[in-house]
Amino acid sequence: MTDTFVNELIEGIGLLFLHPLFYGFIFVAFLIGLKRVKRERKEFKVKVHPVIDNLIFSLLPGILIGLIGSVIFIAAGVTLPIGMIALIGLMYLVLALTMKTRFMAPAYAVSLAAIAGLLLPKLYTGLAFLDKWIEDIQNTPLDSLAVILGVLLIQEGILILWKGADRTSPRLFKGKRGHYVGAHEATRFWIVPQFLVLPVGSIPVLDWWPLFPMGAVGFSFFLVPFAIGYRQLVTHTLPVEAIKHLGKQVTLLGVLVLAIAAAGHFYNLPLLIAIAIAAGLAGRELITLVTSQRDDTRPSLFVQRDKGVIILAVVPGTPAVKMGLKVGEIIVKVNGVTLTHETSLYKALQINAAYCKLEVLDLNGEIRFVQGSLYQNEHHQLGVLLVHDVVERNIAVGN
């Protein structure tokens, strides 16, 4: 029994690398990084993080969270047939056509697959594998999809809380009064492989397992690639505060969906299951819309000031990092010169081409003094990005 279990796990891992969506997700993650770098160079003449930054720094957290989800799905015996797995993959492909990262998320892919499955009529194509997939989709219990949706939403919330505020990207766009303001964009694309139970294979039915047997007599495992796309634009506060607030909301939504799904399953109330899936889809979209509206109606934090310049971003590997400068701090003086805009910063740095002294208003509203060396022949490269006017700049919208 143990050997059978282990063998099925190994085969399930191998199926991940045969799934075309896995490689599609890697390609999407690369495109997100490429687009970000292109925009950063256009707005700030420098890239803040490498093109593959999203892929590298999102891969391990996604795998770890996926392992936790896999334990839950295997222990509970959450069963999903191959046809429904294919339909969820198709939903991801359709959502990718929107070119919106936030739509590449389980709240949309899983919910839309559930709706499509309910609406799918009985079809006979003459292709054996396709007819089997259609039958799979129509026989998929909504309970399984609702539980998967709830767990994936919780995973999304945890990832946002854990890694959402890391390595955000600075933005520039015109505010309501026509002046340029700064913002931070958090865009992440986590690949989260999860083990699901397939209703076919050599693992026998147990007294208590699986939770959704689907009438099968044997089961196997499939390491299915899921993606969690996330995007949030923050203008009114420091990015970490707004991002963690959204992460908590998504986590609570996942708990709510999971609780409703569990109640519907154990009390045999199909309507509750449908409500759980609808709540996951509508709730996730509502969280995004309310968060965006709240950010739009509040005054921007990153604006040009009469005295001092606010730090919009700190470029890794620059003197600013060594000096301990942080996003949101205000540089009041450089080499004794009071700053009023970006140009005055660079002029003040030229007073001493090798060394600079800064007077900084920190995040607690207290003045502190920092000093450090600049790179030889690069006195202008302090490593801070500031709000500045840009010619022919489009409003910061997108994925």
Side-chain angles (χ1 to χ4, degrees):
M1 177 65 180
T2 302
D3 291 342
T4 301
F5 189 88
V6 172
N7 288 336
E8 291 290 358
L9 279 176
I10 294 173
E11 290 182 12
I13 294 173
L15 290 174
L16 171 69
F17 298 100
L18 295 177
H19 200 308
L21 206 58
F22 176 66
Y23 301 99
F25 286 158
I26 292 176
F27 182 64
V28 169
F30 177 78
L31 288 182
I32 290 172
L34 190 66
K35 182 176 181 180
R36 174 187 51 76
V37 168
K38 183 179 179 181
R39 172 183 52 75
E40 288 173 349
R41 289 189 182 281
K42 185 177 181 181
E43 295 181 351
F44 299 99
K45 309 301 182 186
V46 65
K47 67 177 180 181
V48 180
H49 302 295
V51 172
I52 60 173
D53 182 80
N54 178 75
L55 182 59
I56 291 176
F57 288 93
S58 297
L59 189 59
L60 182 58
I63 292 175
L64 291 176
I65 292 295
L67 285 175
I68 297 173
S70 296
V71 171
I72 296 172
F73 292 140
I74 291 177
V78 178
T79 309
L80 210 62
I82 195 70
M84 180 54 74
I85 292 174
L87 181 58
I88 292 174
L90 178 62
M91 291 299 106
Y92 269 116
L93 291 176
V94 171
L95 291 166
L97 297 178
T98 67
M99 303 299 290
K100 302 286 186 182
T101 305
R102 73 179 187 88
F103 285 142
M104 296 283 288
Y108 303 98
V110 176
S111 297
L112 292 177
I115 295 171
L118 289 173
L119 299 177
L120 184 66
K122 289 187 176 181
L123 296 173
Y124 298 97
T125 65
L127 297 174
F129 81 94
L130 193 54
D131 289 339
K132 181 62 171 65
W133 283 7
I134 293 173
E135 182 182 353
D136 284 348
I137 292 169
Q138 293 171 336
N139 293 333
T140 300
L142 283 182
D143 313 46
S144 286
L145 289 172
V147 169
I148 290 170
L149 176 59
V151 171
L152 287 171
L153 280 169
I154 293 172
Q155 291 176 324
E156 179 183 359
I158 292 173
L159 284 169
I160 293 172
L161 285 168
W162 180 22
K163 293 294 183 179
D166 291 354
R167 306 170 78 83
T168 55
S169 176
R171 299 296 311 258
L172 283 177
F173 63 99
K174 276 191 176 181
K176 296 178 181 178
R177 299 182 179 179
H179 300 295
Y180 280 92
V181 299
H184 270 261
E185 180 181 298
T187 300
R188 280 285 177 253
F189 190 78
W190 292 287
I191 301 173
V192 189
Q194 319 259 1
F195 272 111
L196 294 178
V197 180
L198 293 179
V200 60
S202 56
I203 301 176
V205 178
L206 303 177
D207 292 338
W208 50 270
W209 188 93
L211 189 61
F212 310 104
M214 293 185 63
V217 295
F219 301 88
S220 59
F221 301 123
F222 188 168
L223 189 56
V224 181
F226 287 91
I228 297 179
Y230 156 71
R231 182 203 183 251
Q232 184 177 359
L233 191 68
V234 183
T235 63
H236 73 280
T237 186
L238 294 175
V240 65
E241 298 173 3
I243 290 170
K244 288 189 178 297
H245 179 72
L246 184 140
K248 292 176 182 177
Q249 291 180 318
V250 175
T251 304
L252 290 174
L253 174 63
V255 172
L256 177 63
V257 169
L258 193 58
I260 297 174
H265 174 74
F266 288 111
Y267 291 102
N268 194 24
L269 296 172
L271 180 59
L272 273 184
I273 302 296
I275 290 174
I277 293 174
L281 176 61
R284 185 62 186 90
E285 183 65 13
L286 183 62
I287 288 172
T288 297
L289 294 177
V290 170
T291 300
S292 179
Q293 180 65 24
R294 184 188 300 117
D295 195 74
D296 288 342
T297 56
R298 294 183 179 181
S300 300
L301 172 65
F302 300 99
V303 296
Q304 299 184 64
R305 300 163 184 267
D306 295 331
K307 183 178 180 181
V309 292
I310 189 167
I311 298 174
L312 178 57
V314 178
V315 180
T318 60
V321 175
K322 297 179 181 179
M323 294 180 191
L325 298 178
K326 300 177 181 179
V327 171
E329 291 186 325
I330 298 173
I331 304 175
V332 181
K333 292 182 180 181
V334 173
N335 293 329
V337 177
T338 300
L339 304 184
T340 55
H341 47 72
E342 185 182 38
T343 303
S344 63
L345 167 66
Y346 297 129
K347 288 182 178 179
L349 288 173
Q350 293 178 26
I351 294 176
N352 188 332
Y355 202 79
C356 68
K357 297 180 180 180
L358 280 64
E359 183 178 319
V360 179
L361 185 66
D362 66 18
L363 300 178
N364 296 319
E366 299 178 354
I367 291 291
R368 65 186 179 95
F369 298 90
V370 296
Q371 53 189 357
S373 301
L374 300 177
Y375 296 135
Q376 186 178 9
N377 300 324
E378 295 186 3
H379 60 273
H380 59 290
Q381 296 292 346
L382 178 60
V384 294
L385 301 182
L386 311 173
V387 179
H388 58 271
D389 291 337
V390 186
V391 179
E392 297 181 355
R393 182 73 57 225
N394 293 325
I395 293 179
V397 297
N399 303 335

